[in-house]
Amino acid sequence: MSHKHSIYDSDPHFVINAITRNILNQSSQKTILIQGDHNAERFTFEMPRYIEGHDMSHCDRVQLHYLNLSKNGKDQSADVYEPTDFQISPDGDDVVIFSWLISAKATKYAGSLSFAVRFTCMNGNLIEYAWNT
């Protein structure tokens, strides 16, 4: 039997500051993941829709670049996740939201998980705009 129910994250969101580009965790407990978990946790992000006059909802690509590093620092797992739910927030049209469903690749090692968010506007293969945390 396949796993078909949808996942909804009601936890506090991570908030991206458009000026400092820092990602603020709204819940101190939302930073705890368990090694080997797969699709069992979702991080939801929100940020201003308009940054320096650019409408972020027009970005073609949103990516989370992440690195899972073992406690001893010798082993690592790195990848890129592309959210499928990037949208203008239903709570207000001046905010965009998206989420990251954490896979086993991101929890492969007990240790640390670091990440950055990248927004790009593409024209074919040409990047016309890029913004990173």
Side-chain angles (χ1 to χ4, degrees), residues 7-8 15 25-26 43 54 74-75 112:
I7 298 172
Y8 175 74
V15 177
N25 181 1
Q26 296 293 313
F43 288 173
H54 186 82
K74 294 181 181 179
D75 301 306
S112 65

Side-chain angles (χ1 to χ4, degrees), residues 111-124:
S112 65
L113 176 64
S114 57
F115 59 90
V117 181
R118 178 173 173 82
F119 292 84
T120 53
C121 292
M122 306 293 293
N123 183 357

Side-chain angles (χ1 to χ4, degrees), residues 2-124:
S2 65
H3 192 76
K4 294 186 179 184
H5 71 273
S6 62
I7 298 172
Y8 175 74
D9 178 29
S10 61
D11 295 336
H13 295 177
F14 288 78
V15 177
I16 300 173
N17 183 305
I19 297 169
T20 65
R21 301 182 188 211
N22 290 329
I23 301 172
L24 178 62
N25 181 1
Q26 296 293 313
S27 168
S28 62
Q29 295 183 0
K30 191 65 173 188
T31 59
I32 300 169
L33 297 170
I34 303 301
Q35 182 181 11
D37 271 1
H38 180 66
N39 295 347
E41 190 65 66
R42 181 179 293 273
F43 288 173
T44 302
F45 299 85
E46 65 181 64
M47 60 182 281
R49 177 177 174 184
Y50 299 99
I51 298 177
E52 301 291 332
H54 186 82
D55 186 343
M56 302 304 279
S57 72
H58 291 265
C59 289
D60 301 299
R61 186 178 297 156
V62 178
Q63 298 175 318
L64 289 114
H65 295 254
Y66 66 87
L67 174 66
N68 174 218
L69 191 62
S70 65
K71 286 181 185 177
N72 65 14
K74 294 181 181 179
D75 301 306
Q76 65 181 20
S77 176
D79 206 353
V80 176
Y81 177 83
E82 293 192 15
T84 58
D85 59 354
F86 179 64
Q87 62 186 303
I88 296 170
S89 174
D91 296 329
D93 64 358
D94 59 341
V95 173
V96 291
I97 60 172
F98 56 96
S99 67
W100 174 17
L101 186 58
I102 309 294
S103 70
K105 191 161 189 178
T107 62
K108 185 173 183 177
Y109 301 107
S112 65
L113 176 64
S114 57
F115 59 90
V117 181
R118 178 173 173 82
F119 292 84
T120 53
C121 292
M122 306 293 293
N123 183 357

